[in-house]
Amino acid sequence: MDTQCVVVGAGAAGLAVSRALSEVGVEHLVLERHDVADTWRRQRWDSFTLNTPDSMNDGLRAGPGLGTTCPRDEVVQLLTEQAQALPVRPRTAVTAVDSIPPGFLVSTPDGTLSAPTLVLASGLLNVPRRPAQAGLVAPRVHQLHASDYRSPSQLPDGAVLVVGGGQSGCQIAEDLALAGRTVYLSTSRVGRIPWLYRGRESLAWLVDCGFWDQRPQDLPHPTDTALTVPLLAGGRSLDLRILSGLGVRLVGRFASADGETIGFEGSPSAYAAQADDAWARLRSLIDHHIEEHDIVAPDPATADRPGGPVPDPGAAVLDLHSADVTTLIWSTGFTGDLSWVNLPLFGPDGRLEHDGCAAPWPGLWYVGFPWLTRRCSGIFHGFSRDAQDIVHGVVHELDR
């Protein structure tokens, strides 16, 4: 064998595994198809900031205090510095993984490597996804995916339609509105959570409440793992009311495209009410925790003051030409591509099969994918803990 373990992907999750493997003396290599932290370099806009406070960004840096957040360029810099002390091979794409008992054959353009253990840290949400109806939009309209958006200055003059009411869509709409652009936002059913609540970051309260440690089996229904993360932005609150107050013109959920006409369904005001309901459930969880542990915190009655009403559009369609829309940004999420792994990783329902971080194949693990062991598996807060679980498994496999 060429090494004891191969880690595919040098993002935050892959580097967390590499650090943990180094600490226990496991010889390994981290292969990265581009540069370290490539997703952060290539798929985040200029003003992007991590949604989580520094206290939750395990393995990135220790936050000095309340309200601190980490911008995109600092994330890239910190991860790049970490990689310098680790066995990372950048610009080494993995083109295939095959089973060669007792281990794996990892193919790259520079040759092959063999190892008894393998960790996939390449991500499962890194391939931009846009609806098939994008091809039906009038050719004059400049279209791009949120992963290709960097700043308002890159777009042609005119109004912008952002399709997608999750984190990226709302943050991009805010970025454009603050730059003085006319923005239409196609909304959807997404919860909200204020950045601060009762004197502390709401997300940090939820750490103490055990919210981020919820396992898939703790949820009312298995499909709840697909629910969108509640809306906020790094260092500040962000919701439909705030966006409306900035002048963003809210429309319903994207339904159809036909040349210059975009059709919508649903109601922005109804989505805002549903977001309030989602926050009410989380707020109750935090309040209960504070009361149960006799924590001194500001009065909740003054801690969350949403803005004004969310108006519904007068029509269920938008005429792009009449509205002077020259750009359409698809903030419609990502999918993943593991077709280069020549192993049966997916079940009959198309879902990735796993037991925690362990794949249904001896010696293979995942890291950085959503909901592997708990709610936080797909964010910085969960990478280090999942990495420790993986390393225990790797060591056990090597000792067999």
Side-chain angles (χ1 to χ4, degrees):
M1 294 290 179
D2 293 306
T3 188
Q4 292 180 307
C5 183
V6 169
V7 180
V8 183
L15 295 181
V17 172
S18 182
R19 291 196 306 270
L21 289 170
S22 298
E23 289 171 359
V24 298
V26 173
E27 179 188 354
H28 67 284
L29 289 171
V30 182
L31 306 182
E32 168 55 51
R33 61 179 175 174
H34 296 298
D35 292 314
V36 172
D38 180 68
T39 297
W40 296 97
R41 298 174 191 269
R42 292 156 54 100
Q43 295 186 357
R44 301 292 186 271
W45 54 96
D46 293 349
S47 64
F48 178 87
T49 300
L50 277 177
N51 290 334
T52 46
D54 288 347
S55 60
M56 290 181 63
N57 299 331
D58 301 351
L60 193 61
R61 68 176 184 180
L66 180 68
T68 52
T69 57
C70 197
R72 179 200 64 184
D73 290 348
E74 189 170 344
V75 173
V76 172
Q77 177 185 346
L78 291 169
L79 293 178
T80 301
E81 291 173 354
Q82 285 183 18
Q84 292 173 357
L86 300 170
V88 178
R89 289 188 184 177
R91 301 192 176 277
T92 305
V94 174
T95 56
V97 170
D98 294 278
S99 173
I100 51 164
F104 305 92
L105 183 68
V106 180
S107 300
T108 77
D110 300 324
T112 59
L113 291 167
S114 60
T117 61
L118 178 73
V119 180
L120 297 181
S122 53
L124 200 60
L125 295 173
N126 55 12
V127 178
R129 180 177 58 195
R130 65 173 72 186
Q133 293 188 74
L136 303 178
V137 177
R140 70 162 188 87
V141 178
H142 175 56
Q143 298 186 60
L144 69 159
H145 190 270
S147 60
D148 296 315
Y149 172 77
R150 295 296 174 269
S151 70
S153 63
Q154 83 183 95
L155 306 181
D157 292 340
V160 183
L161 169 61
V162 180
V163 174
Q167 304 282 0
S168 296
C170 288
Q171 290 180 34
I172 290 173
E174 178 196 40
D175 195 46
L176 291 164
L178 291 174
R181 301 297 291 265
T182 298
V183 185
Y184 293 86
L185 175 65
S186 175
T187 56
S188 59
R189 183 177 179 177
V190 179
R192 72 172 182 89
I193 183 169
W195 179 252
L196 293 177
Y197 180 65
R198 302 190 71 173
R200 189 181 181 206
E201 296 100 334
S202 298
L203 296 182
W205 279 124
L206 292 175
V207 170
D208 293 349
C209 293
F211 175 79
W212 294 105
D213 286 330
Q214 286 182 325
R215 302 165 300 170
Q217 58 267 36
D218 296 332
L219 302 179
H221 194 276
T223 58
D224 286 353
T225 58
L227 294 177
T228 306
V229 175
L231 179 63
L232 82 165
R236 62 198 186 280
S237 301
L238 185 64
D239 56 42
L240 296 183
R241 290 186 174 86
I242 291 172
L243 289 170
S244 180
L246 290 174
V248 175
R249 304 175 188 190
L250 305 178
V251 293
R253 185 184 182 92
F254 171 79
S256 63
D258 183 8
E260 295 284 354
T261 302
I262 303 295
F264 305 99
E265 59 188 12
S267 157
S269 62
Y271 293 146
Q274 291 166 353
D276 291 343
D277 291 342
W279 164 234
R281 292 190 293 272
L282 294 175
R283 183 179 61 210
S284 177
L285 186 67
I286 295 171
D287 289 341
H288 176 75
H289 171 80
I290 291 173
E291 294 171 7
E292 183 179 31
H293 295 275
D294 294 323
I295 298 171
V296 177
D299 186 343
T302 61
D304 177 31
R305 294 174 176 169
V310 172
D312 281 324
V317 297
L318 176 67
D319 185 297
L320 300 179
H321 184 268
S322 298
D324 190 32
V325 172
T326 57
T327 302
L328 195 163
I329 300 176
W330 297 103
S331 185
T332 42
F334 297 83
T335 185
D337 178 19
L338 294 178
S339 61
W340 44 274
V341 182
N342 299 318
L343 298 169
L345 304 182
F346 295 88
D349 59 356
R351 296 169 65 91
L352 187 75
E353 293 191 330
H354 63 95
D355 181 6
C357 294
W361 197 272
L364 177 62
W365 291 267
Y366 310 115
V367 68
F369 296 7
W371 285 101
L372 289 172
T373 61
R374 52 185 77 88
R375 185 184 291 273
C376 63
S377 286
I379 63 175
F380 275 92
H381 186 58
F383 295 160
S384 294
R385 283 189 290 173
D386 280 358
Q388 291 297 328
D389 291 345
I390 290 168
V391 169
H392 291 153
V394 169
V395 170
H396 177 75
E397 185 71 20
L398 294 175
D399 289 342
R400 291 178 56 185

